[in-house]
Every structure is written in structure tokens, then in C-alpha cells.
Amino acid sequence: MNGPLLTVEDLAVGFPAAGGFVRAVNGVSLSLSAGERVGIAGESGAGKSVTALAIMGLLPVPPTVVTGAVRHRGKDLLTMRERDLRLVRGRSIAMIFQDPVTCLNPRLSVGRQVVEAIRAHEPVSRREARGQAIELLGRAGIPAPARRFDDYPHTFSGGMAQRVMIAIALSCGPEIVLADEPTTALDVTIEAQIVDLLVELCDEQQAAVMFITHDLALLARFADRILVMYGGRIMEQAPAPTIFRRTAHPYTRGLLSSVVRPDGAGGARLATIPGAPPSPLALPPGCPFHPRCVHAVERCRTEVPLLLDVSSAEHRCACHLAAELTPFDAAQPDPLGIRP
Amino acid sequence: MTAPLLVVEDLVKVYPVARGLFGRIGSAVRAVDGVSFSIAAGETLGLVGESGCGKSTLARCILRLIEPSGGHVSFAGADVAGHRGEALRRYHQRAGMVFQDPFGSLNPRQMIGDMVGEPLRAHHLVGGRRSERARVGELLDLVGLDPGRARSYPRQLSGGQRQRVAIARAIASEPELLILDEPVASLDVSVGAQILNLLADLQTELGVAYLFISHNLSVVRHVAHRTAVMYLGSFLESGPTPQLFDRPQHPYTQALLSAVSVPDPDRERERPRIRLTGEVSTSLDVPTGCRFHTRCFRAETVCSECEPMLDRVGPNEHRAACLFPGDRVALRQTHAAH
């Protein structure tokens, strides 16, 4: 049995907000296999986080409207009862959030919070859970975990607090970890440590990880496969090297050339995408990217492009012009011919 | 060789920390601990460092938004410490600041035009309403906004547009120096790139100097002529940007650079990373000797005893505060020998 652990089929999520109806996710399909590291990249409002929250069943329905299916072990999580869903959460699927400090309860010691997470899913004694918690904290890279066990969250730095969150997420050996911008609030040196830690722990446990970020460069290190989202849709998906070296979608190209490279020559103008990402309250008709796309033709304004194979079934792109545009290579010094 | 626009000498900012029930002063946070540098007219100095290293405190001390505890700041040849009233106002006309958060730094109840016009009125740069409106239109146009936007409110603008408004407001008084505190950190990648281009254009057109503060090394490499690396209130390395990034001499700079991701999976996976050990210290308990020695992969006993000076380590004023400065390759060999 080597099928995917989790399959998302045609997921759509919308909810009412102050200015109208937010169409946050509009038909996303994806799958996660054991031990696989998938990156989801996109700017604000792309629908990345809402996709993860919908998979976890953490969106209040109603008022949120969720359609499609999230299949895990033959069951659709979207139609599951809350009681059964609780068993899936934590035990099979865990989530790590952006801001570790606000995720921890400031009035409970860090160790106790890990123990609670363990005891919520496993029938173990307090003492056993304590031992497991100390071991987990140590594996998550917390120095002297037995000594820090009784410390409160405010004595932990952002990076250390995120390690605690990772320990909690991994406490029940989940098959799937959804990490939503887990390093965005952290400094670069700490970010690198956390990314390497996630890679290590997931390899050890053979867990599938979905890593959500706005930082494509980070995914170059982390991900086997990358999905690029925009306007609640997947615009392009491919193995990581293909995304960077044979980019098909004009949005992915724009995003890659907007990334300032640490090894690039200074002073040159950045090739940017005009305009700003659309508000999910007012998505343009047709391809959501067409108002910012330099290649857009009439068809792009009216007809939503489907996510179709580019060269193989592994590389898919939602662009009417995918076949006509030459692939883009971000590693070339002058990929767009714009830099002097 | 003209005199630099801004000269900072041995700047110190200490915050007393109240301890105990009666607020007795227990210890002190040395947020900025003896920093010296200069910026020439039209130049960009990049300032990098992790959170809590004192970057923003330094910026605020330079503009005297907070009072430094020691050292000197001189702007265009005059010490700014003595500036009061009118003199301080004139200083703020010539040196301004753009903040990170374009959502928090704009008054939500003020129209864009009014906001950009405010410094024009405060510094008596326009005659009347009509010339103010014309100048505001010019400024909005200069930062890439439709002059018709003058009647909008901040909530009607996107993050990138708001940051453009903040920039228009900052350049309204035609300053010679702008301190940019993480100007693109809260923006989307594609929008941040637009703002970086705009800042480069404005520098070419207006000849304004920038102190560009960021935790993002890639961005600093892109914009800065010279770069300084700050750690726990003090500079560990400074020099011309390409030289500092290509041949960093301080172990901390080397570790920072090795942590930055390159958007290229092939290279990214083989690139070795320097792992810093230990917890980041806070400026409440700055280690003795070299302040970085507790996390340094090169530290020797002497590092905990003797504080290194920011000494020359290469041509073009490339300086590093390290007892064992050197290229990374050489470092690794010496390290292996131990």
C-alpha cells in the first residue's frame, strides 16, 4: 500500500466578512505521501493558511462554507463528527503555527503543556508522560530539558518556544505535520535551525510535512515538491528543482525574480510584478493573476485556466499560455534579460 | 574628500531596569554599547542584526527620538545633542525616518494628501493651500501613486501603497538622510521588490543618504554600499557590501550568511551551514570579553576575557571585532586542527 496519506479534492472555502463574501480557496486538489516534504508558497491572501485550517477542520462551519473532500485513511475529514476529528488531530495530523509564543498557555509550565498533549491521546501515567515529554523536548533541541520542564513560556525565546510547539506537535507521532509559516517570526540563524530540525524529525518519523511559507528560497532547502498558490488556486506545482529551473507560470517567474538573492550583484533593479495581490473579497474574473500579468490575453480575462500537465504529470501549471512561454531558469544570472 | 553627512561616535544607550517591589534600580540594559560609524551624502549604509540587537534603538538615538546616554551624533558638521526647539525641528527636516509597519505608522483618520502635506506645512515649505496641493500631487507621483489618491484614507490602500505614502511623507521635506527601519519586512515579496526599486530611484534622483536597517541579509546586500553587522548593541563587522558578503571575516557574519537561503535547490542542499550553539544572550547580560563568544564556533579561552576592538581586517575600511578574524575556509582548517 503506497497510496497518498492525505488527498484533498477540489477544496473550496468561503466565509462572510465585513466587506462581502471572502472566497479564500477556490478548488485546490493536492496529495501528501508518507515521508514527503511539500512546500506551499504564496503571498498574503493566496489561501495557504485557510487550506491548512480546512484540512485540520479548524474552521467554524457555519459561517464558513467548505466544499470538496479531505480524504485520510478512507474517510472524509470534512464530514466527520467533531469527536472523531479530535482523534485524528494530534494523533494523525498535527499543526505548527507562526507565532509560537501566543500558542502556548502563559499560565502553565512548558513541560505540563507537552504532558497534556501526550495524555490527551495516549493512556499513560503522569510520570511516564513526563519522561516522554523531557525526551521530546530534548529531541526538539531544547538544552537541559529536564531543568527547563517546569519553566513558564515567557522565559523562552521565540526560537525555543517554537521548539516546544514542535515537541507538542510531534508528541503523538503524527503521520502528517502542517507547518504554517513556522519560522516567519524568527531570526535567520534560528530559522535555519528550525528548518533543519523539521527535516530531521520528519525523516526520523517518516512523517509527511506541508510547509507553508511566503519565502520561496526557504523551500529550495526544505521541499521535495512545491505548490505555488495565488487567489485561492494552485498556479503551478512541480518537484522543487523544476519550480526553480524550468518555471512555467508567469506568476512563479515574477515571484522568483522579485526574490532578492543573497549572492546576487547589488544595485541592479529587481524585476517586479506590477500591482499587489488581489483581495479574496474581490477576485478578478478569469485567471486571478491576469491584472498583473504582462502576457495576459483576452482569454485570461474571462476563462479560468485549468491546472494541466506541462511536460510530465509531475509538473502542472494553470496558465492558458503555458505552452507558448519559454521556461524560466531562476539560476541563470539574467533570466528575464532585465538585469543590466 | 568631503566630510561625511552623519558621524556617530561611541554612541551608548542604557536603560535602567527596575527590580524589586520599590523599583530599585537593579541592573541596566546596554541596548547600544559604543557604536561608531559615518554615512556620506547619497550613500546607503546597511545595518543588519537579529532581533533585540539594538538596531532600532540606535536609529532612534540618531534622530533624538530618544536621548542617547553617551557619545556623539553630528549631522552636517554640527553636534545634534544641543539641538532644542527650532534647531531640532530643522534637524528633523533634514533627517527623517520610515518605519516598518505601514499599517501602524499612518493616522487612520487622516486623508493621504493631508498626511503628506503635513511636513510641508510644519517646515513652511509651501505658501498656501494651492501650492501644498500641487506639491503633494508631485510627491505622490514621485512615489508611484496616483495623485488622485490624495483624498483616500489609509484603510483604502494596500500595504505597499501605504508604505509609498510613508515614503512620500518622509521625502516631503527634502531630507538629506532617511533612516529606513525594516521598510519591506511586512510587505509581500513582489510588493517589497517594488518598494526597493522605488527607494533606489529616489536616491538617484534626490541624492538622499539611507541608513537601511534590516534583518534580511539578501535585501541589505542588494541596497547597501556599505554594511555593518550588529550584535548585542555593538558592531562586530563593517565594510563595503560586496567585500563583507563575499569575504566575511567575523564568525558571526559567516554564520548569519550561511543561514540565508538561496533560491536554488541544487546549491541549497550542498551548501554547508554553520550551526550556532547556545542561546542568544540578551543585552541584559552581555557576556564578558567578546560578546559573541558564548555562541561562537571559534571561541578560545581568551575570547571570554578580552574584548576585541573593531579593527581593520582588509582594504577599504573592512573592519571586524574578533581576536581570530579570517576567511571561512581558513577558519575551518584551524578549527579541525584543534
Side-chain angles (χ1 to χ4, degrees):
Chain A
M1 199 203 81
N2 258 334
L5 276 177
L6 182 89
T7 335
V8 175
E9 288 161 25
D10 204 22
L11 182 75
V13 182
F15 43 85
F21 194 73
V22 175
R23 289 184 295 141
V25 179
N26 304 294
V28 162
S29 300
L30 58 90
S31 67
L32 275 172
S33 303
E36 193 183 28
R37 300 201 297 264
V38 175
I40 298 199
E43 300 181 283
S44 50
K48 318 179 291 283
S49 299
V50 176
T51 301
L53 292 173
I55 293 173
M56 286 293 277
L58 289 175
L59 295 167
V61 182
T64 315
V65 181
V66 182
T67 59
V70 176
R71 294 194 199 286
H72 172 67
R73 296 187 174 274
K75 295 206 178 94
D76 183 359
L77 301 187
L78 294 184
T79 56
M80 205 180 251
R81 283 179 309 174
E82 178 63 26
R83 203 170 27 151
D84 299 329
L85 204 51
R86 270 173 194 242
L87 295 177
V88 175
R89 274 189 221 131
R91 192 179 286 176
S92 299
I93 311 179
M95 188 153 175
I96 302 166
F97 297 91
Q98 172 171 348
D99 191 351
V101 182
T102 54
C103 288
L104 290 167
N105 184 340
R107 299 179 57 172
L108 292 180
S109 76
V110 156
R112 174 132 177 237
Q113 298 187 52
V114 184
V115 165
E116 270 186 10
I118 295 170
R119 283 172 48 96
H121 297 279
E122 318 258 345
V124 291
S125 71
R126 266 179 207 289
R127 183 181 297 175
E128 259 177 283
R130 187 189 165 97
Q132 285 183 20
I134 290 172
E135 199 216 312
L136 272 167
L137 288 169
R139 270 173 55 207
I142 295 199
R147 227 180 54 218
R148 306 262 1 219
F149 188 88
D150 293 313
D151 286 350
Y152 285 81
H154 73 269
T155 62
F156 283 64
S157 64
M160 284 297 146
Q162 192 61 290
R163 291 175 192 274
V164 175
M165 291 308 298
I166 290 173
I168 290 175
L170 298 180
S171 62
C172 302
E175 304 166 297
I176 299 165
V177 178
L178 310 179
D180 187 3
E181 303 264 13
T183 61
T184 306
L186 307 176
D187 284 315
V188 265
T189 51
I190 312 297
E191 172 176 85
Q193 290 172 5
I194 297 287
V195 169
D196 291 349
L197 174 69
L198 274 175
V199 170
E200 238 173 73
L201 294 180
C202 293
D203 279 354
E204 266 172 40
Q205 300 200 356
Q206 272 298 297
V209 198
M210 191 167 108
F211 192 110
I212 297 173
T213 179
H214 64 284
D215 187 351
L216 263 172
L218 208 56
L219 293 182
R221 188 172 190 98
F222 182 81
D224 303 320
R225 201 150 59 83
I226 296 175
L227 279 60
V228 179
M229 284 188 75
Y230 190 85
R233 294 175 192 281
I234 295 173
M235 303 305 258
E236 184 165 5
Q237 66 181 58
T242 311
I243 286 282
F244 289 94
R245 305 301 298 269
R246 290 210 309 280
T247 317
H249 201 286
Y251 174 62
T252 317
R253 301 167 180 238
L255 206 53
L256 281 171
S257 42
S258 302
V259 176
V260 189
R261 300 174 61 99
D263 50 352
R269 277 189 80 74
L270 296 164
T272 63
I273 312 174
S279 154
L281 271 170
L283 285 176
C287 170
F289 185 58
H290 86 256
R292 304 176 74 192
C293 183
V294 286
H295 304 285
V297 295
E298 195 46 45
R299 193 178 165 203
C300 306
R301 292 179 244 282
T302 52
E303 194 183 321
V304 178
L306 299 172
L307 191 64
L308 300 173
D309 296 0
V310 179
S311 45
S312 65
E314 286 197 315
H315 186 188
R316 315 186 88 194
C317 173
C319 177
H320 293 309
L321 305 169
E324 292 154 47
L325 300 171
T326 30
F328 166 94
D329 185 350
Q332 292 303 315
D334 185 19
L336 287 181
I338 288 174
R339 291 180 192 179
Chain B
M1 181 75 195
T2 50
L5 179 67
L6 177 82
V7 179
V8 173
E9 275 173 292
D10 207 19
L11 195 73
V12 175
K13 177 66 191 177
V14 180
Y15 289 105
V17 178
R19 280 249 174 97
L21 193 58
F22 301 102
R24 276 174 296 118
I25 289 168
S27 52
V29 173
R30 300 183 72 83
V32 177
D33 199 1
V35 166
S36 305
F37 65 93
S38 64
I39 300 179
E43 186 191 34
T44 301
L45 175 70
L47 179 56
V48 295
E50 299 183 277
S51 49
C53 75
K55 308 183 293 275
S56 298
T57 305
L58 175 62
R60 283 162 175 77
C61 284
I62 291 171
L63 290 182
R64 286 198 47 218
L65 302 178
I66 49 178
E67 289 300 326
S69 317
H72 296 281
V73 176
S74 63
F75 183 81
D79 194 325
V80 303
H83 288 350
R84 300 274 179 280
E86 182 61 13
L88 191 61
R89 187 195 61 73
R90 249 182 287 132
Y91 174 45
H92 285 155
Q93 178 180 342
R94 300 174 69 185
M97 187 149 175
V98 174
F99 295 91
Q100 165 175 351
D101 181 9
F103 294 85
S105 60
L106 302 181
N107 180 349
R109 307 186 62 168
Q110 208 176 12
M111 279 193 292
I112 300 309
D114 218 30
M115 222 177 288
V116 176
E118 202 169 43
L120 297 174
R121 294 191 297 277
H123 299 302
H124 316 293
L125 297 171
V126 283
R129 276 278 162 196
R130 182 174 299 177
S131 61
E132 181 189 320
R133 223 171 297 143
R135 181 73 183 129
V136 166
E138 273 173 37
L139 286 164
L140 290 181
D141 189 51
L142 196 60
V143 297
L145 284 174
D146 173 10
R149 280 290 191 183
R151 301 188 64 80
S152 306
Y153 286 92
R155 64 166 184 277
Q156 295 167 297
L157 304 181
S158 67
Q161 287 170 327
R162 285 180 215 211
Q163 199 57 303
R164 287 176 195 269
V165 171
I167 293 170
R169 189 180 146 94
I171 60 170
S173 62
E174 297 175 36
E176 291 150 78
L177 172 71
L178 271 189
I179 298 183
L180 307 163
D181 193 356
E182 301 271 11
V184 297
S186 61
L187 303 176
D188 272 319
V189 186
S190 66
V191 178
Q194 294 167 10
I195 297 292
L196 293 180
N197 282 344
L198 169 68
L199 290 170
D201 292 345
L202 290 175
Q203 187 165 60
T204 317
E205 269 170 63
L206 310 172
V208 54
Y210 294 141
L211 174 60
F212 193 104
I213 300 175
S214 180
H215 68 283
N216 185 327
L217 285 107
S218 307
V219 168
V220 166
R221 162 146 214 180
H222 184 77
V223 299
H225 301 111
R226 284 188 304 130
T227 298
V229 180
M230 197 167 176
Y231 185 80
L232 291 185
S234 137
F235 282 7
L236 293 190
E237 185 162 3
S238 66
T241 302
Q243 206 173 321
L244 186 134
F245 277 76
D246 291 338
R247 295 194 57 189
Q249 299 294 301
H250 198 288
Y252 179 58
T253 314
Q254 290 160 0
L256 274 183
L257 282 169
S258 84
V260 180
S261 303
V262 181
D264 182 342
D266 300 338
R267 282 189 40 212
E268 189 53 33
R269 271 155 215 228
E270 39 191 61
R271 225 160 49 97
R273 254 180 200 175
I274 301 173
R275 278 206 190 189
L276 291 182
T277 49
E279 275 260 34
V280 188
S281 312
T282 65
S283 13
L284 198 60
D285 54 326
V286 175
T288 54
C290 170
R291 55 197 65 218
F292 182 60
H293 85 263
T294 49
R295 295 175 79 199
C296 186
F297 51 96
R298 280 277 299 134
E300 312 257 340
T301 326
V302 61
C303 297
S304 61
E305 294 153 4
C306 183
E307 183 168 0
M309 307 290 285
L310 196 61
D311 285 328
R312 293 271 304 265
V313 289
N316 308 316
E317 283 294 306
H318 187 174
R319 290 170 174 272
C322 180
L323 296 174
F324 307 100
D327 287 337
R328 218 177 119 183
V329 186
L331 279 176
R332 215 184 283 126
Q333 283 159 357
T334 14
H335 195 45
H338 282 287

